[in-house]
Amino acid sequence: MRSNKDGITQAVLAVGVVIKESIYGYHVNRKVPFLKITMALPRLIAPAKRLLETGVVNVPSYGSRAYQPYESNIDFEIRFMVDTGIVGCSWIELPPKKYQVRSKDNAPSPISRCQIEVDVAWDSFISYPPEGEWAKVAPFRILSFDIECAGRKGIFPEPEKDPVIQIANMVIRQGEKDPFIRNVFTLNSCAPIVGSQVLSYMKENQMLEKWADFVREVDPDIITGYNIQNFDITYLINRAKTLNVKPFPFLGRVINRASVIKNSMIQSKQMGRRENKFINTEGRIQFDLLLVLLRDYKLRSYTLNAVSFHFLQEQKEDVQHSIITDLQNGNEQTRRRLAVYCLKDAMLPLRLLDKLMCIINYMEMARVTGVPLSYLLSRGQQIKVVSQLLRKAKEHDLVIPVHNPEQGDDFTGATVIEPVKGYYKDPIATLDFSSLYPSIMIAHNLCYTTLLPNQTRNQMNPDEFIKTPSDNYFVKKSVRKGILPEILENLLSARKRAKEDLKKETDPLRKKVLDGRQLALKISANSVYGFTGAQVGKLPCLEISQSVTAFGRMMIEKTKTLVEEKYNIANGYAQNAKVIYGDTDSVMVNFGIPFPPSGDHVEALKQVMELGKVAAEYVSGHFTSPIKLEFEKVYFPYLLINKKRYAGLYYTKPETHDKMDCKGIETVRRDNCPLVANLINMCLQKILIERDPSGAVEYAKQIISDLLCSRVDISQLVITKELTKTDDEYSAKQAHVELAHRMKKRDPGSAPNLGDRVPYVIIAASKGTAAYLKSEDPIFVLENNIPIDTQYYLENQISKPLLRIFEPILGEDKAKSCLLKGDHTRTKTVVMSKVGALAAFTKKRATCIGCKALLDNEKNPICKHCKPREPEFYQNEMVQLNALEEKFARLWTQCQRCQGSLHEDVLCTSRDCPIFYMRKKVQKDLADQEKVISRFGIPSW
DNA sequence: GTCTTATCCTAA
DNA sequence: TTAGTTAGGATAAGAC
């Protein structure tokens, strides 16, 4: 044995025989004996498994053969919770006399920071399912905090060198509205702040020590903040180590367990790849809001500022590292300024958690799937299915084999019906299969336990099993009901129940809980199919997943045929119905009810909705229960651009539309600039809602003209793309990758990392330069006044998306001639960049302020010919200067208002705020204009 | 020029 | 030690 720090004298505690059955495949002669091996510690399981697998162990009376391991790869927490029937975030009761309170009399010293310490046997407590009274949520204490560091100029703070100068904290009880503690720890003095406690320390190590004391005193159940896991907590622990603050890292509830930082790489198809730190804080859950948002929301930017604006319609100051240092080195007022900012950053995560109902939704997910809360942020989708599968398997004496993952061939997925592209002025009905994949699995009893191997099939009666469209075989429900269908039925019926309860419930908090629950149930049901198809997973079964998709393909085809064969003139209907599009579980039907000339949309919509409902019912009748086709909505009008790309007005009632629905087009994609997204959105609104295509064309022309004359704000031109691989893994050159690489050279600390989204703009360069050479950091562009390649934005960003939405309406030729030709496409001359890689090719020469002619004598403001009109030109420039000054003052005040004080300088440099870009641009223009004016000052001819 | 490939992001 | 699925459009780079 290599090490034995736990002092284990006996690794194997017990070996027994249990009668079980493998979950995988249908076996006629059900249960067989299994060896159940009990190990002393979780970490001894893997080596024991390896020994048995390789067949080197001689088990008395069973011999030394190679054993197939089962359930040796189950996480310890999951194992314990499954065995004791605990689900995440639920209540347990320690019955009287079953536990013993630890006190001075019977225990040498406490091992935890808990108020009460007891000993209880693992199987002598009661676990309550979270129903009724036990669905209540405990009043958790939640600590939200934010730190500020004093970095050096242009370098991202490093804990080995740069001090922590402030730590702001907010503590709230779950369910309450306001924090009951608001404070800020500051290094050096800080002027008082109304409503917050200010705790100032002259020494950094003292501040850190006191903060750790504070955390232990507050004793939070949940620790939150923004990017705390990968930044704040990590920084504090490393900083405390640098300063040798010994008691600092004991932040959890186990007294002698120090918090340690571990690096881990989390990668999934859903979330991409990202480097994460893991810090143990026993008894306290780290619930980093950034990680929640990355999982649950697709956003263009994930800075706290962008997120606050998106969800709370509120900006926050974004202060650069170098400025933070200046504020710290100022006086107690400038430090107060910083503290106010820091407090806000501690408060915002709490407000966002509340607004997005993260805690409740995550708790419900933990309850529904049975996993601990912390797993939901640190692990993937699979563990949730495994947890449910294990619980169900236990009921039926089934065991799950250990599967060695290997990549195999892909299987065929869903059908996308070839779209009949075009602009539909007639109402289009949409019919959907609700919960298609779960329904298929239930209807056809698809499960691990019902999968019929070929040999077994030969012994079976043909009416005892089915053959799926992908030629796989499963036994019927009458022979044996699968446990996946059972799990799914439970999830779907629980969801129905939650939705019904939600309707009846009046208490707002319970309403939130129920809504979170129905959402969790829906997501869980839908992820079971994905689990069976995950080849690099715990228990893939392609027979199930490919049967599911094959049934789905068959069903969508059949639906199309059924609708078109019934709803036609031959059968006495007014028109021939046509399925114009469909994807996976839906069909879009044009029943041919025309756009009424009278303008009475309501009547036409009523007719289509009625037809849709009847047709859905008719089609449902052709499929096995619980498969059901439902009428969902009508699109009117409907613009079908391509597969997975369309837009339309969404009606669920005949009177008014619910929303404008856009799928797959630029308005919902994050990899184009806001200019394009907003332009397309506006045009679609004008076309679909106002039904004014010519108005849309005019609008588009105006925007194009604005762009070419540089009247468009730079924030509108920022494109963002995710860095999905490391530098050397990329084989093709790309704009955002190249830029990230260049930024790493400028300042490695603040450059984008793996998994981050990289914002960039395309700058002007000589003709034919590849786009990946023209990408640049928007802030850098702004600070150095680098010209934008407006032609690129017209040709490579705007034009194609615009043509795609206008062509079906105007026709190909007309769309092109209207939009991309004419006066509005005239460009203002683009100047070459004065900095960066291309600066070498430009030579700066002064021009005449009057006529822009090159000057012989560069010291003069104007040329000889313009000389007589010098006062006039001077006047003009002064007018412009005044205009710019006024504009700058206006933007400045706006920013002051945002930061909440009209008496202080604006420090914000938020890359997500359009005002910031404008303010910065005007500031630059102002400086340039002042330079121009100054040229008048020294006439010398 | 055209065609293929890599990449991103979305639909369901 | 960990990772839900396939279909598919759009774009830019790079081969030819």
Side-chain angles (χ1 to χ4, degrees):
Chain A
M1 191 159 266
R2 273 165 301 199
S3 72
N4 190 1
K5 61 176 181 216
D6 301 289
I8 300 298
T9 52
Q10 204 179 8
V12 182
L13 297 186
V15 178
V17 174
V18 288
I19 305 300
K20 298 268 182 181
E21 181 191 354
S22 168
I23 197 174
Y24 206 98
Y26 176 74
H27 320 101
V28 186
N29 47 341
R30 318 279 288 258
K31 292 177 186 169
V32 291
F34 282 76
L35 289 175
K36 179 179 175 179
I37 301 164
T38 311
M39 306 299 293
L41 285 171
R43 64 177 170 80
L44 298 175
I45 294 174
K49 172 221 160 197
R50 269 196 299 277
L51 292 175
L52 287 161
E53 213 171 20
T54 47
V56 295
V57 179
N58 188 345
V59 182
S61 78
Y62 284 85
S64 56
R65 39 171 287 218
Y67 291 88
Q68 159 71 42
Y70 289 78
E71 299 188 10
S72 66
N73 55 348
I74 307 300
D75 301 272
F76 178 68
E77 296 92 328
I78 298 290
R79 175 87 273 158
F80 174 73
M81 290 170 77
V82 168
D83 289 349
T84 51
I86 301 176
V87 295
C89 297
S90 63
W91 296 91
I92 57 173
E93 181 189 331
L94 309 188
K97 295 186 185 148
K98 295 276 188 176
Y99 64 89
Q100 193 181 16
V101 178
R102 287 169 69 105
S103 65
K104 283 197 191 98
D105 308 329
N106 61 15
S109 60
I111 55 171
S112 80
R113 286 179 230 286
C114 299
Q115 289 88 339
I116 307 169
E117 236 172 56
V118 304
D119 286 319
V120 64
W122 71 274
D123 54 354
S124 0
F125 54 79
I126 305 169
S127 163
Y128 290 99
E131 305 287 342
E133 261 311 273
W134 301 108
K136 280 191 182 164
V137 175
F140 291 131
R141 268 190 304 281
I142 306 171
L143 162 69
S144 173
F145 79 101
D146 178 57
I147 69 169
E148 301 302 333
C149 312
R152 292 148 291 157
K153 282 252 183 307
I155 305 169
F156 197 74
E158 293 165 28
E160 291 74 24
K161 296 177 183 144
D162 303 306
V164 175
I165 53 176
Q166 294 194 345
I167 312 173
N169 305 280
M170 299 279 163
V171 188
I172 194 169
R173 281 185 207 94
Q174 165 66 30
E176 291 182 4
K177 232 174 129 340
D178 292 306
F180 62 94
I181 296 176
R182 300 162 186 259
N183 68 22
V184 58
F185 289 64
T186 69
L187 180 58
N188 210 334
S189 63
C190 173
I193 300 167
V194 177
S196 297
Q197 193 183 2
V198 177
L199 303 150
S200 300
Y201 301 89
M202 294 317 284
K203 287 228 164 87
E204 189 189 357
N205 53 3
Q206 198 188 9
M207 178 180 79
L208 292 179
E209 195 173 332
K210 290 293 175 189
W211 184 78
D213 285 345
F214 166 75
V215 171
R216 290 184 283 262
E217 175 73 27
V218 164
D219 191 26
D221 304 289
I222 295 175
I223 303 177
T224 188
Y226 207 75
N227 199 20
I228 51 165
Q229 198 173 315
N230 288 320
F231 182 71
D232 301 51
I233 300 184
T234 308
Y235 199 98
L236 287 174
I237 290 179
N238 284 332
R239 186 65 188 161
K241 194 188 284 170
T242 306
L243 297 179
N244 203 20
V245 185
K246 290 260 165 54
F248 185 88
F250 297 89
L251 297 170
R253 279 181 168 147
V254 176
I255 285 180
N256 288 319
R257 190 72 59 85
S259 298
V260 181
I261 302 159
K262 277 189 202 141
N263 286 312
S264 74
M265 179 80 92
I266 179 151
Q267 72 172 325
S268 75
K269 289 240 170 83
Q270 176 196 274
M271 306 240 320
R273 219 164 24 144
R274 179 166 275 285
E275 274 167 351
N276 263 334
K277 311 253 189 269
F278 172 82
I279 301 116
N280 60 302
T281 47
E282 283 78 8
R284 314 193 203 283
I285 292 170
Q286 292 161 45
F287 201 79
D288 190 333
L289 182 65
L290 172 63
L291 299 184
V292 174
L293 295 173
L294 285 172
R295 265 173 199 262
D296 296 348
Y297 298 91
K298 291 194 173 295
L299 304 173
R300 280 173 182 266
S301 167
Y302 288 95
T303 61
L304 180 54
N305 182 52
V307 166
S308 305
F309 186 67
H310 187 260
F311 292 110
L312 305 171
Q313 284 75 48
E314 193 175 304
Q315 295 269 341
K316 79 167 205 69
E317 276 184 278
D318 220 347
V319 180
Q320 262 180 354
H321 308 113
S322 51
I323 298 180
I324 289 177
T325 308
D326 292 343
L327 289 174
Q328 174 65 14
N329 295 338
N331 52 39
E332 61 166 25
Q333 284 301 332
T334 62
R335 285 188 289 274
R336 176 187 182 277
R337 176 80 201 275
L338 189 56
V340 170
Y341 164 78
C342 191
L343 282 161
K344 188 164 188 188
D345 280 11
M347 189 59 208
L348 279 171
L350 288 182
R351 295 190 42 206
L352 284 159
L353 283 180
D354 180 63
K355 169 101 183 184
L356 303 175
M357 302 188 304
C358 300
I359 306 257
I360 283 180
N361 286 348
Y362 270 67
M363 278 181 38
E364 282 304 316
M365 181 59 91
R367 288 170 165 185
V368 163
T369 57
V371 301
L373 187 63
S374 63
Y375 273 44
L376 298 177
L377 281 176
S378 64
R379 304 283 293 270
Q381 299 290 329
Q382 294 209 39
I383 191 65
K384 297 192 268 187
V385 182
V386 169
S387 160
Q388 294 171 81
L389 207 52
L390 276 169
R391 285 164 203 272
K392 211 33 125 193
K394 189 166 178 270
E395 278 176 30
H396 296 265
D397 283 329
L398 295 164
V399 283
I400 301 177
V402 173
H403 172 260
N404 295 105
E406 52 195 47
Q407 193 59 256
D409 290 334
D410 287 351
F411 60 91
T412 314
T415 298
V416 184
I417 294 175
E418 194 57 45
V420 185
K421 300 173 204 173
Y423 178 59
Y424 293 86
K425 290 184 180 173
D426 308 333
I428 304 296
T430 307
L431 313 179
D432 288 36
F433 287 104
S434 51
S435 307
L436 178 68
Y437 287 177
S439 311
I440 289 176
M441 295 171 85
I442 297 170
H444 300 104
N445 203 33
L446 307 182
C447 182
Y448 300 101
T449 57
T450 60
L451 175 65
L452 199 48
N454 283 335
Q455 292 123 320
T456 323
R457 175 160 46 97
N458 299 331
Q459 313 161 21
M460 302 277 297
N461 213 323
D463 62 359
E464 287 180 315
F465 59 86
I466 58 153
K467 180 181 173 185
T468 69
S470 55
D471 292 348
N472 302 113
Y473 298 86
F474 292 88
V475 299
K476 286 187 181 171
K477 213 174 345 190
S478 49
V479 178
R480 172 195 237 181
K481 176 148 182 168
I483 65 166
L484 282 186
E486 208 179 311
I487 290 173
L488 290 168
E489 274 174 9
N490 290 343
L491 289 172
L492 293 183
S493 66
R495 176 162 188 240
K496 221 183 209 169
R497 228 175 21 248
K499 282 177 113 178
E500 280 163 13
D501 292 350
L502 179 63
K503 270 188 214 152
K504 282 182 274 175
E505 187 59 62
T506 48
D507 177 60
L509 189 67
R510 279 169 181 256
K511 261 192 140 115
K512 283 184 190 173
V513 174
L514 288 170
D515 196 50
R517 176 170 302 184
Q518 71 88 11
L519 191 72
L521 289 161
K522 180 188 170 175
I523 297 171
S524 302
N526 284 334
S527 56
V528 172
Y529 149 76
F531 176 81
T532 65
Q535 301 203 38
V536 194
K538 276 262 155 64
L539 195 65
C541 180
L542 293 203
E543 290 87 346
I544 296 175
S545 35
Q546 69 189 6
S547 294
V548 169
T549 57
F551 272 119
R553 289 195 297 276
M554 205 191 69
M555 286 164 60
I556 196 170
E557 287 297 338
K558 190 165 174 189
T559 304
K560 180 177 190 293
T561 316
L562 283 171
V563 169
E564 290 182 349
E565 281 181 354
K566 178 162 161 107
Y567 295 88
N568 53 37
I569 297 170
N571 282 334
Y573 291 90
Q575 295 292 330
N576 289 329
K578 173 89 186 133
V579 171
I580 56 162
Y581 180 57
D583 186 345
T584 311
D585 60 354
S586 66
V587 286
M588 319 304 205
V589 190
N590 186 355
F591 283 108
I593 304 295
F595 181 89
S598 62
D600 187 3
H601 304 163
V602 179
E603 193 46 45
L605 280 164
K606 268 187 189 156
Q607 281 185 48
V608 174
M609 288 179 173
E610 194 49 40
L611 274 171
K613 272 175 207 156
V614 178
E617 234 164 84
Y618 166 71
V619 174
S620 296
H622 290 74
F623 295 111
T624 319
S625 165
I627 294 171
K628 197 172 165 220
L629 187 69
E630 286 175 337
F631 164 77
E632 265 245 336
K633 61 200 172 252
V634 168
Y635 283 121
F636 173 62
Y638 185 54
L639 179 62
L640 181 51
I641 293 165
N642 215 332
K643 282 183 175 177
K644 299 190 190 283
R645 279 169 191 252
Y646 59 81
L649 287 195
Y650 184 113
Y651 284 80
T652 47
K653 50 188 184 301
E655 293 79 21
T656 50
H657 64 266
D658 304 60
K659 59 180 172 186
M660 184 171 86
D661 202 18
C662 296
K663 289 289 158 72
I665 50 185
E666 285 69 21
T667 51
V668 296
R669 291 183 66 90
R670 298 175 293 173
D671 54 353
N672 52 45
C673 62
L675 178 73
V676 174
N678 295 340
L679 169 62
I680 299 293
N681 192 39
M682 263 314 223
C683 287
L684 284 173
Q685 278 191 23
K686 286 184 190 291
I687 293 167
L688 301 174
I689 300 176
E690 295 165 31
R691 293 175 189 265
D692 179 16
S694 55
V697 171
E698 283 312 309
Y699 179 80
K701 282 162 103 171
Q702 182 59 50
I703 296 291
I704 291 173
S705 161
D706 287 352
L707 168 71
L708 296 180
C709 299
S710 306
R711 286 194 295 259
V712 171
D713 187 74
I714 189 173
S715 67
Q716 290 287 301
L717 302 175
V718 177
I719 303 165
T720 68
K721 284 203 171 101
E722 191 185 309
L723 214 52
T724 59
K725 304 178 192 185
T726 56
D727 233 17
D728 44 297
E729 284 171 334
Y730 278 109
S731 65
K733 289 184 167 157
Q734 288 183 96
H736 68 293
V737 182
E738 294 290 309
L739 174 61
H741 189 75
R742 274 179 268 139
M743 285 173 77
K744 199 150 267 174
K745 282 187 191 157
R746 284 181 212 155
D747 173 18
S750 55
N753 288 314
L754 182 63
D756 289 349
R757 295 187 68 80
V758 186
Y760 66 93
V761 293
I762 297 294
I763 58 173
S766 57
K767 215 172 172 188
T769 310
Y772 65 84
L773 293 170
K774 301 201 287 183
S775 57
E776 191 45 85
D777 176 11
I779 299 272
F780 191 77
V781 166
L782 212 51
E783 281 171 351
N784 296 290
N785 206 18
I786 303 170
I788 299 284
D789 188 348
T790 54
Q791 207 61 36
Y792 171 88
Y793 281 90
L794 177 60
E795 286 167 12
N796 299 57
Q797 291 281 126
I798 291 185
S799 82
K800 281 184 178 168
L802 209 50
L803 286 177
R804 276 197 293 270
I805 65 165
F806 277 108
E807 269 171 10
I809 295 156
L810 302 176
E812 195 178 332
D813 299 336
K814 187 146 181 254
K816 239 178 221 149
S817 59
C818 273
L819 292 161
L820 303 177
K821 301 211 167 78
D823 277 356
H824 65 282
T825 57
R826 237 196 286 236
T827 316
K828 212 175 87 176
T829 353
V830 180
V831 267
M832 287 277 273
S833 172
K834 293 184 203 69
V835 290
L838 304 153
F841 301 107
T842 64
K843 196 167 171 243
K844 205 170 140 194
R845 282 200 61 184
T847 55
C848 166
I849 291 170
C851 65
K852 308 286 179 232
L854 285 176
L855 287 170
D856 301 333
N857 183 347
E858 301 204 350
K859 282 180 190 151
N860 294 338
I862 49 181
C863 68
K864 283 178 282 201
H865 311 287
C866 295
K867 176 70 183 159
R869 293 169 64 196
E870 185 174 354
E872 183 193 332
F873 292 135
Y874 180 73
Q875 267 304 315
N876 283 346
E877 298 303 324
M878 281 306 284
V879 168
Q880 282 190 43
L881 180 74
N882 288 338
L884 285 168
E885 276 173 347
E886 199 181 305
K887 198 169 168 190
F888 182 72
R890 232 181 11 251
L891 293 167
W892 179 266
T893 323
Q894 194 169 345
C895 289
Q896 281 185 313
R897 214 165 274 140
C898 170
Q899 78 186 18
S901 162
L902 294 176
H903 311 294
E904 286 165 324
D905 277 1
V906 174
L907 306 172
C908 177
T909 55
S910 163
R911 283 159 199 249
D912 305 302
C913 173
I915 307 293
F916 165 68
Y917 286 106
M918 285 191 245
R919 173 160 58 81
K920 206 71 192 167
K921 169 102 169 50
V922 174
Q923 192 175 27
K924 191 82 201 174
D925 290 349
L926 202 54
D928 290 349
Q929 188 65 16
E930 272 162 0
K931 258 182 229 154
V932 170
I933 303 276
S934 73
R935 284 172 62 193
F936 284 100
I938 36 164
S940 62
W941 65 84

